Amino acid sequence: MASKTPVGFIGLGNMGNPMAKNLMKHGYPLIIYDVFPDACKEFQDAGEQVVSSPADVAEKADRIITMLPTSINAIEAYSGANGILKKVKKGSLLIDSSTIDPAVSKELAKEVEKMGAVFMDAPVSGGVGAARSGNLTFMVGGVEDEFAAAQELLGCMGSNVVYCGAVGTGQAAKICNNMLLAISMIGTAEAMNLGIRLGLDPKLLAKILNMSSGRCWSSDTYNPVPGVMDGVPSANNYQGGFGATLMAKDLGLAQDSATSTKSPILLGSQAHQIYRMMCAKGYSKKDFSSVFQFLREEESF
């Protein structure tokens, strides 16, 4: 138990909350901060220490995990007026599990390095369900010598912790994964909608797809059609899960990366536009699988 020194955790949203709980389950005391104090209440009630800024977290912990929605939030948490870098200790390990622009990760890593600390990007895949069960996949970018130290913590929250290369490569892997996920979810939604309109029972169609070559995660684990599966957002009016706003953001990151590397992403770009339209039409807070509902309602396509 000697290694169970306090771990800082910043960002207790849909993903950060269950991730932090899994660290607690593994016996790590936490130093907690979230911009919304209410998000910290259950941790405070459980005896964890809540502080009033990212800087205060850095003062009390030399291993910190950040889990934030956007590049702007990450920059603020690290470089802001009360950011981590204001009080970070030499030799600290800072792991950012947010999904942000790889260029921002690289910039933050430079700033952290100047302070004598170590930065690693470690975005996740698997969604809220995997965050709760501790089965996330972490894609880690940073100095390879520090990977074992990061793995010790990340292994408490995920079943797969993969070293990808230098800082920014974790983000690159995550962006590619989420672009493919968006495309496959839209494809699953289109196929299910077409089949239903051709008179097929949705459960039967899903069963056939999942024993055929069209099978994918969106069809067999996270089906977007209400009534086909239990325990997924489509069974609960698309509440919870991974919001359409966040998917639109990740597709924007893919678009930026494709532009800077001159990579053709025809379907990725189309998916980006579809999710942006969804957000403009009231779907922003619904799970990204609500693209099924959106496509059913949008006859004008």
Side-chain angles (χ1 to χ4, degrees):
M1 292 297 284
S3 69
K4 303 287 171 85
T5 54
V7 174
F9 207 105
I10 297 169
L12 300 161
N14 284 347
M15 295 293 289
N17 175 299
M19 287 167 67
K21 283 177 182 165
N22 279 324
L23 283 172
M24 286 166 62
K25 280 179 197 161
H26 281 83
Y28 287 96
L30 300 180
I31 313 288
I32 294 280
Y33 172 76
D34 192 279
V35 71
F36 298 108
D38 283 357
C40 302
K41 190 173 185 318
E42 61 177 315
F43 291 94
Q44 196 160 20
D45 293 348
E48 304 300 332
Q49 193 175 347
V50 176
V51 295
S52 56
S53 73
D56 292 344
V57 175
E59 191 174 34
K60 293 173 184 290
D62 58 12
R63 294 182 293 178
I64 301 171
I65 295 163
T66 50
M67 187 54 163
L68 303 158
T70 67
S71 296
I72 292 165
N73 301 128
I75 291 165
E76 181 64 22
Y78 282 88
S79 308
N82 292 303
I84 290 167
L85 293 173
K86 285 284 181 281
K87 293 185 180 174
V88 69
K89 292 179 267 194
K90 271 200 170 79
S92 291
L93 176 62
L94 310 178
I95 301 171
D96 182 35
S97 286
S98 320
T99 298
I100 60 174
D101 190 325
V104 173
S105 294
K106 289 174 188 172
E107 201 51 50
L108 290 175
K110 280 182 199 162
E111 291 182 37
V112 168
E113 199 179 339
K114 281 180 198 161
M115 305 300 290
V118 174
F119 178 92
M120 303 189 94
D121 60 305
V124 303
S125 178
V128 174
R132 286 198 192 107
S133 63
N135 288 316
L136 290 167
T137 292
F138 286 89
M139 294 152 267
V140 185
V143 180
E144 193 165 9
D145 291 352
E146 302 293 338
F147 178 61
Q151 200 170 17
E152 181 196 332
L153 293 178
L154 301 180
C156 299
M157 301 176 284
S159 48
N160 299 302
V161 183
V162 184
Y163 181 69
C164 298
V167 169
T169 56
Q171 298 295 352
K174 171 66 191 278
I175 288 167
C176 293
N177 178 76
N178 275 23
M179 182 177 78
L180 180 58
L181 174 60
I183 293 166
S184 67
M185 181 57 79
I186 293 166
T188 300
E190 288 185 355
M192 292 295 296
N193 188 34
L194 177 61
I196 290 163
R197 290 185 181 191
L198 288 169
L200 286 163
D201 173 75
K203 277 190 173 173
L204 175 69
L205 176 56
K207 183 180 173 185
I208 292 165
L209 291 176
N210 292 335
M211 58 173 68
S212 306
S213 53
R215 183 179 64 85
C216 61
W217 189 84
S218 298
S219 69
D220 74 0
T221 305
Y222 211 82
N223 199 285
V225 181
V228 168
M229 290 180 78
D230 294 327
V232 292
S234 62
N236 186 31
N237 196 28
Y238 301 105
Q239 300 305 305
F242 183 63
T245 304
L246 289 172
M247 182 54 93
K249 178 210 76 172
D250 288 359
L251 289 164
L253 294 174
Q255 187 72 69
D256 292 344
S257 297
T259 302
S260 67
T261 56
K262 297 185 170 60
S263 304
I265 55 159
L266 282 74
L267 294 180
S269 295
Q270 187 69 42
H272 184 211
Q273 295 310 317
I274 288 169
Y275 277 100
R276 285 182 63 189
M277 278 192 282
M278 282 175 66
C279 292
K281 296 209 171 183
Y283 286 81
S284 57
K285 290 195 166 63
K286 289 184 181 283
D287 178 74
F288 82 107
S289 62
S290 63
V291 67
F292 171 77
Q293 190 180 39
F294 173 71
L295 292 171
R296 274 176 80 78
E297 289 174 359
E298 291 294 319
E299 301 290 345
S300 58
F301 286 131

